[in-house]
Amino acid sequence: MEDIRNMTVGECVLFGGERWKCDSIVAARKTVGSIAFILSIVAFFFICLYRLWRSLADRQIIYLWFGGFLLSIVGFFDAPPDNGNSSSCQFSGWFLGLADWMWITAMFLITLHTFMLTVRRRALVEIGTAGELFYHGASFGIPLFIASLPWIGSAFGPAGMWCWISEDEIGWRFADWYVPIWLLLIVIVVLYIITIYKINKKRSDPGESEANQSTKRLYGQAKRLMFYPGVQLIVIIIPTIHRIHNAVSSERVYGLMLLHAICGPLQVIGIVAVFGITLYYRIKQNELPALSTTMKKHWATIRCQSEPTPVEVQNRVQNVENGNVNYGNEIAAKEDGLGNQA
């Protein structure tokens, strides 16, 4: 079977020697991956700016962001053209599996949390308890365990234009990814159908309009979270079709491989887009302060921490007058206004 191990610099045997197809796939993957990486950094900036880690729902979004961030990094990985089954290629394949499972695990936990909020009217775990510690451990432990299973069969290797579970290990591909991912997605869809039904039922209930603020926040949170799994559901379709085609035919389809190559980074772009829309919605609903207000607050905090108070300046002046010259340069660097206030 033709694979990337047969490639050398300047040729591409995957498409009958049409090098431009290989180059365009690599370029598209890296370009979309670069955009996804930049957007991930922007999202992280806003997470830190608004300190979006104080609720369990926000922490789940951070896990989802982290999985997306790893996926954006994967976009820069290449299978070595001289030896596609090298240790670096195997690590790249394992890293891709870890990033994918980080993503889908966070997605499933978000769905389960949303279901619990709307149907059971309580959080999945209580914040600050041992249950939350177990929850956070599962968010990292489950992806690490599942992504590492192919090491048992030495299944990592060339997977076309990048590294993952090798093309000869079709069983591992479906057992470790495509079968469980679609089962999880079916569960996610079912849970969200129930969740949406419950939300619409509550909205049509005349007595629900009198609900307290905590209940309204609960349902608002659930409605925001439900959009994230939709991104995964849409983006996973093309890769699944591509891998099924690989399993039944050795023919390379350029369009399928090109779309598959950009689907990983597109997941990240999708999650950042949903994050940005929900953040804007929360600001418009006065759940979060406006961006300008938040920026001014942080800038004022930074200035207060960096500039000495008048009392501190006075103490430094006294130290200089008493012969402690270590403060001389600091005093000279301050504005005359601060010295006069002291």
Side-chain angles (χ1 to χ4, degrees):
M1 181 179 291
E2 292 179 334
D3 58 44
I4 203 164
R5 285 171 292 184
N6 297 323
M7 294 177 62
T8 59
V9 177
E11 69 175 329
C12 173
V13 300
L14 292 178
F15 300 103
E18 295 183 83
R19 183 185 174 189
W20 70 269
K21 291 184 177 180
C22 293
D23 291 342
S24 62
I25 290 174
V26 172
R29 191 164 186 248
K30 289 189 174 182
T31 300
V32 181
S34 299
I35 296 172
F37 180 80
I38 294 171
L39 291 178
S40 296
I41 299 301
V42 173
F44 183 70
F45 168 78
F46 281 100
I47 288 173
C48 294
L49 182 67
Y50 282 96
R51 300 178 182 178
L52 298 178
W53 52 72
R54 286 173 284 189
S55 71
L56 182 62
D58 286 334
R59 293 176 196 177
Q60 290 173 324
I61 301 304
I62 292 177
Y63 292 141
L64 196 60
W65 169 86
F66 185 68
F69 178 72
L70 295 181
L71 277 175
S72 69
I73 295 176
V74 169
F76 297 102
F77 288 179
D78 281 330
D82 57 339
N83 181 14
N85 204 26
S86 65
S87 58
S88 62
C89 181
Q90 294 174 14
F91 172 79
S92 174
W94 170 80
F95 192 88
L96 174 59
L98 177 63
D100 279 330
W101 274 110
M102 281 287 298
W103 174 276
I104 194 59
T105 302
M107 197 76 69
F108 175 73
L109 291 174
I110 286 175
T111 305
L112 187 59
H113 178 67
T114 306
F115 175 81
M116 294 293 290
L117 285 176
T118 55
V119 178
R120 306 293 297 178
R121 291 205 169 205
R122 64 184 180 88
L124 183 60
V125 296
E126 296 297 329
I127 295 177
T129 64
E132 187 187 8
L133 294 177
F134 176 80
Y135 174 88
H136 296 323
S139 299
F140 287 96
I142 292 175
L144 184 62
F145 173 76
I146 299 178
S148 300
L149 286 177
W151 286 114
I152 298 174
S154 301
F156 291 117
M161 293 295 298
W162 55 88
C163 294
W164 184 46
I165 298 174
S166 65
E167 297 184 327
D168 298 329
E169 302 290 346
I170 296 175
W172 272 109
R173 287 184 173 188
F174 285 89
D176 192 67
W177 177 244
Y178 287 107
V179 172
I181 188 67
W182 276 104
L183 289 176
L184 280 176
L185 287 175
I186 291 172
V187 173
I188 287 173
V189 170
V190 171
L191 290 178
Y192 266 112
I193 289 174
I194 298 173
T195 301
I196 293 171
Y197 171 77
K198 289 292 184 179
I199 290 176
N200 290 333
K201 185 177 180 180
K202 292 298 180 182
R203 290 179 62 184
S204 61
D205 185 357
E208 190 66 19
S209 60
E210 303 298 328
N212 56 44
Q213 290 298 319
S214 62
T215 303
K216 290 181 179 180
R217 285 196 299 269
L218 182 148
Y219 285 110
Q221 187 180 95
K223 287 187 288 185
R224 289 195 301 269
L225 291 176
M226 72 169 53
F227 292 104
Y228 289 97
V231 175
Q232 177 72 42
L233 187 62
I234 295 172
V235 174
I236 194 63
I237 294 175
I238 293 298
T240 303
I241 294 174
H242 183 213
R243 293 312 183 188
I244 291 175
H245 179 270
N246 286 161
V248 300
S249 174
S250 60
E251 180 186 358
R252 306 287 182 172
V253 179
Y254 169 72
L256 270 179
M257 186 173 287
L258 177 62
L259 291 174
H260 187 176
I262 64 175
C263 276
L266 278 179
Q267 295 180 58
V268 187
I269 295 174
I271 187 104
V272 173
V274 174
F275 172 79
I277 293 171
T278 54
L279 183 65
Y280 174 79
Y281 173 82
R282 295 176 70 178
I283 293 173
K284 296 295 289 185
Q285 295 296 317
N286 296 321
E287 295 181 23
L288 294 172
L291 178 60
S292 58
T293 302
T294 306
M295 293 290 288
K296 289 178 181 178
K297 179 180 178 181
H298 281 277
W299 177 246
T301 302
I302 293 172
R303 290 193 62 184
C304 289
Q305 292 176 348
S306 62
E307 294 183 357
T309 64
V311 174
E312 290 174 334
V313 174
Q314 183 177 14
N315 291 336
R316 294 180 183 183
V317 170
Q318 290 176 352
N319 274 282
V320 172
E321 292 175 349
N322 292 334
N324 187 351
V325 296
N326 291 332
Y327 291 92
N329 292 333
E330 296 182 25
I331 297 299
K334 302 300 177 183
E335 296 180 354
D336 292 337
L338 287 176
N340 293 333
Q341 292 176 15

